[in-house]
Amino acid sequence: MSHAAPTARPQAHPRSHYRVFRSIGTRWADNDVYGHVNNVVYYSWFDTAVNAHLIEQGALDIHAGPVIGLVIETQCNYFAPLAFPQTVHAGLRVAHLGTSSVRYEVGLFAEDSDTAAACGHFVHVYVDRETRRPVPLPEPLKQTLETLR
């Protein structure tokens, strides 16, 4: 008989856990019939926070760059509801930086809260745009990611 160790219950992180923030306005269409933002929207905000930061820093060219990031894993824990009309602050940090992969952690905060309403992560594997095979992180991308660790 095997006894697995109990898993720690996920905890909401404070703003200080994250390195940079992006404000994202909620839309009427984000709410579901239960009166709060639907869970699939949170994943869209993760993508928006990460990719917008990389594009703004000049580290990722989504239209013509030779390297693209593919999401291979994602997860989210929800702690408090978010709803329209609200401004959400997405906190971002890099938890792991590999040769061709990155694990981002994202916290979503209500405008006036120091504790995340949701915390999650996703993993990008960077691949050659044409072959879709993993490639080492280009130096400008790697430098930008290092600032988020």
Side-chain angles (χ1 to χ4, degrees):
M1 178 184 229
S2 165
H3 292 285
T7 13
R9 183 175 184 187
Q11 299 293 315
H13 295 296
R15 286 181 186 260
S16 61
H17 184 75
Y18 302 95
R19 305 282 293 155
V20 298
F21 288 85
R22 163 172 290 307
S23 294
I24 301 171
T26 57
R27 305 167 306 158
W28 175 255
D30 294 336
N31 281 4
D32 62 19
V33 298
Y34 301 114
H36 61 264
V37 171
N38 189 273
N39 61 313
V40 299
V41 176
Y42 289 69
Y43 289 99
S44 173
W45 290 340
F46 288 0
D47 248 349
T48 296
V50 169
N51 288 304
H53 182 74
L54 297 178
I55 292 165
E56 288 169 357
Q57 298 301 307
L60 186 64
D61 179 350
I62 61 170
H63 299 293
V67 173
I68 59 173
L70 301 179
V71 175
I72 63 157
E73 177 183 308
T74 188
Q75 177 265 329
C76 185
N77 290 295
Y78 305 91
F79 303 104
L82 296 168
F84 174 85
Q86 230 176 355
T87 298
V88 174
H89 295 197
L92 176 62
R93 70 186 291 265
V94 167
H96 175 76
L97 191 56
T99 303
S100 62
S101 66
V102 182
R103 178 186 162 111
Y104 303 95
E105 290 183 355
V106 183
L108 301 174
F109 296 81
E111 197 166 18
D112 58 350
S113 179
D114 187 52
T115 304
C119 296
H121 75 268
F122 76 86
V123 177
H124 261 160
V125 171
Y126 285 89
V127 300
D128 178 89
R129 180 183 293 276
E130 299 303 318
T131 67
R132 302 291 166 121
R133 300 297 307 154
V135 295
L137 299 169
E139 199 54 38
L141 176 60
K142 190 173 180 179
Q143 289 174 3
T144 298
L145 295 171
E146 285 287 354
T147 68
L148 299 175
R149 288 187 359 148

